[in-house]
Amino acid sequence: MGQHSSASATRLLGLDGLEVVSAELVGGEWQLDVQTTATVVGCVSCGVRATPHGRRVVRVRDLPIGGRPVVLGWRKRIWRCREPACGVRTWTERVTGIAPRMVLTQRARAEACRRVGKDAHAVAAVARDLGVGWQTVMRAVADHGRPLVDDPTRLEDVAALGLDETSFLKATRLAPTRWVTGLVDLERGRLLDLVGDRTRAAVAGWLGARPAAWLAQVGTVALDPWRGYASALVAPLGHATVVVDHFHAIRLANTVVDQVRRRTQQATLGHRGRKPDPLYRIRKLLLTAAEQLSSRGRGRLRAGLTAGDPDGEVAAAWQGKELLRAVYAAVGTAAARAALDRFYRWSDGVQVPELSRLARTVRAWEAEVLAFHSTKGCSNGPTEAVNLLVKKVKRVGHGFRNFANYRLRLLLHCGVRWQTHRTARLRGRSPRFMA
Ligand SMILES: [Zn+2]
């Protein structure tokens, strides 16, 4: 390789203090021999000019170039101090971009963390692009991600707190579903933390670790009325207004619609819902907000109910769900109160057991349901948005086994603010002149 292309290759590499000596494409990977540019070095101890004492080649992987993995062969210099009075004999040089004994350069590790954390790419995909193993990428994610997640300013200024459960591990033949609770900043739509259970104790433990000043500024807490969370709030957040927000209430109502649909399928067909069954075919339409249905959707919904819901119980549950939605859509507390009465009258009248149970829950939480209208900054949007992000991470990380990794990746994806500047991107540039 000529002098000119070596200089270009060095610019392309862009690693401070290192120049490219040669570049070769081997088995689909770029192999770059690099060395430091420094020629005059003082002793690390006494400062006397050091003399070269040979080299040792260190292999380290860097960001891909033109979509190909890159292996740097760093011809690391060993220096020697000839000053007799100095205690230092020899030492090997260092560069800031490559930490000792690392498989990846610092910027490749940072990029791996950004891709897995911010972009929610699969660890395996990032590992493939870099030409390293899964563990190497996950270690980089942990090393670079933990400081972001542990940054105490991340939790500052929370005025509205949302609690929401999500499954961490689906049930298997041997173990029940494992649940976790997500704590969400409802004003910023950010995940604050994840605790390893959905119990009162798990939430109480997290709240117990917050300073009094932090707790004092939380004015609103939104939660799922079916969980034991509320009692965990009594002591630390007794001053806050508890709200059953839109998101949780509608999720309960949707669950009721699903339950009645399943029971009706079983009763009328003698089996669980299958693809051609009329109610099974409208299962998603049943959960769609009425005003979001197209005229074709409304037609399909009506036809499905006519064919599969002889006693009108599914239709009654659906109507109950829509009436509860109206409570949240109402403008002002008085209108919400009136809408709530319509929901009660309907639920009490139609005598569908699942809907009666929902009405009992709503009655028990009536103040918290109506509080939705008297609190600002407590919309369903944030919890829902965070839940979608959580689903995305779960999809790419299919089958998380390790709660610490799961928490780290969720927080990196929906709990930290990433700087807008990116690490050097080499992928898009053409490496042709290097060949
Ligand atoms: Zn010395």
Side-chain angles (χ1 to χ4, degrees):
M1 199 163 73
Q3 201 59 38
H4 172 72
S5 58
S6 169
S8 315
T10 296
R11 270 202 305 281
L12 174 60
L13 181 69
L15 256 180
D16 270 353
L18 288 176
E19 64 180 359
V20 176
V21 180
S22 71
E24 202 184 347
L25 202 51
V26 179
E29 295 186 340
W30 283 110
Q31 295 203 349
L32 308 184
D33 282 336
V34 300
Q35 63 183 16
T36 52
T37 47
T39 48
V40 179
V41 167
C43 169
V44 285
S45 173
C46 68
V48 163
R49 183 171 175 167
T51 52
H53 191 66
R55 290 173 187 269
R56 191 157 57 81
V57 176
V58 170
R59 305 228 164 261
V60 55
R61 285 176 175 270
D62 195 23
L63 295 169
I65 294 180
R68 297 178 189 278
V70 169
V71 188
L72 304 180
W74 176 18
R75 301 159 61 191
K76 210 169 176 178
R77 280 180 240 250
I78 301 164
W79 295 99
R80 182 187 171 90
C81 178
R82 291 198 177 277
E83 169 57 50
C86 177
V88 169
R89 286 279 159 270
T90 62
W91 68 95
T92 41
E93 64 184 356
R94 293 192 169 194
V95 293
T96 50
I98 304 173
R101 289 176 297 281
M102 280 298 168
V103 177
L104 288 168
T105 59
Q106 290 298 91
R107 66 182 186 183
R109 300 188 90 225
E111 173 73 0
C113 179
R114 195 191 60 78
R115 282 188 60 194
V116 170
K118 179 168 179 278
D119 302 342
H121 289 181
V123 173
V126 176
R128 199 170 48 237
D129 290 351
L130 292 168
V132 298
W134 190 96
Q135 289 292 351
T136 298
V137 169
M138 200 56 223
R139 255 195 311 276
V141 173
D143 290 349
H144 286 253
R146 260 191 223 117
L148 300 174
V149 163
D150 293 342
D151 179 359
T153 65
R154 213 174 56 76
L155 298 182
E156 275 174 4
D157 301 327
V158 176
L161 179 68
L163 303 179
D164 190 49
E165 66 177 27
T166 160
S167 65
F168 161 48
L169 283 176
K170 291 274 182 240
T172 64
R173 223 155 32 79
L174 300 173
T177 301
R178 269 189 61 194
W179 296 88
V180 295
T181 300
L183 298 111
V184 175
D185 178 342
L186 291 177
E187 285 183 337
R188 294 189 189 82
R190 260 188 321 165
L191 187 62
L192 294 168
D193 212 337
L194 210 62
V195 292
D197 209 332
R198 56 170 176 176
T199 58
R200 193 195 67 78
V203 173
W206 192 86
L207 291 173
R210 305 277 79 77
W214 189 92
L215 295 167
Q217 59 184 0
V218 176
T220 309
V221 185
L223 46 72
D224 182 336
W226 273 4
R227 298 260 59 92
Y229 296 148
S231 52
L233 311 175
V234 174
L237 288 174
H239 60 275
T241 306
V242 175
V243 178
V244 172
D245 63 341
H246 181 271
F247 174 77
H248 288 110
I250 302 314
R251 192 164 67 182
L252 285 185
N254 280 342
T255 305
V256 165
V257 173
D258 260 338
Q259 285 167 344
V260 179
R261 174 180 62 78
R262 289 211 184 87
R263 177 169 59 74
T264 305
Q265 277 168 179
Q266 193 72 43
T268 55
L269 303 169
H271 59 72
R272 293 175 49 177
R274 294 172 191 162
K275 259 187 193 147
D277 297 342
L279 289 181
Y280 190 80
R281 291 178 60 185
I282 58 166
R283 69 195 187 284
K284 282 184 182 143
L285 288 174
L286 283 166
L287 306 183
T288 306
E291 72 277 5
Q292 304 273 343
L293 290 169
S294 62
S295 60
R296 187 170 160 270
R298 275 196 300 279
R300 282 184 54 208
L301 187 63
R302 222 173 292 124
L305 289 170
T306 306
D309 183 31
D311 299 330
E313 287 194 297
V314 179
W318 179 86
Q319 185 63 46
K321 181 254 294 183
E322 287 300 318
L323 287 169
L324 186 60
R325 289 189 55 242
V327 173
Y328 284 89
V331 177
T333 307
R337 173 80 252 176
L340 197 55
D341 288 336
R342 282 193 291 278
F343 166 76
Y344 289 149
R345 274 201 301 281
W346 177 262
S347 304
D348 296 346
V350 293
Q351 301 282 312
V352 174
E354 293 88 345
L355 189 58
S356 305
R357 199 164 60 234
L358 175 64
R360 277 201 298 280
T361 304
V362 171
R363 276 196 172 93
W365 291 88
E366 187 177 285
E368 289 80 5
V369 169
L370 291 172
F372 179 78
H373 292 278
S374 58
T375 50
K376 290 197 186 78
C378 187
S379 87
N380 62 314
T383 313
E384 210 163 2
V386 169
N387 272 22
L388 287 176
L389 295 174
V390 167
K391 278 198 185 125
K392 185 171 154 200
V393 173
K394 280 168 79 169
R395 220 168 24 241
V396 260
H398 43 84
F400 278 101
R401 294 276 129 196
N402 178 316
F403 176 72
N405 282 353
Y406 180 64
R407 172 178 176 271
L408 177 67
R409 287 179 67 181
L410 285 188
L411 287 174
L412 286 177
H413 190 54
C414 32
V416 308
R417 221 192 330 262
W418 290 81
Q419 314 243 270
T420 44
H421 81 261
R422 300 160 61 104
T423 41
R425 269 182 68 108
L426 304 178
R427 250 168 279 129
R429 294 191 213 165
S430 167
R432 256 173 306 163
F433 59 87
M434 288 178 65

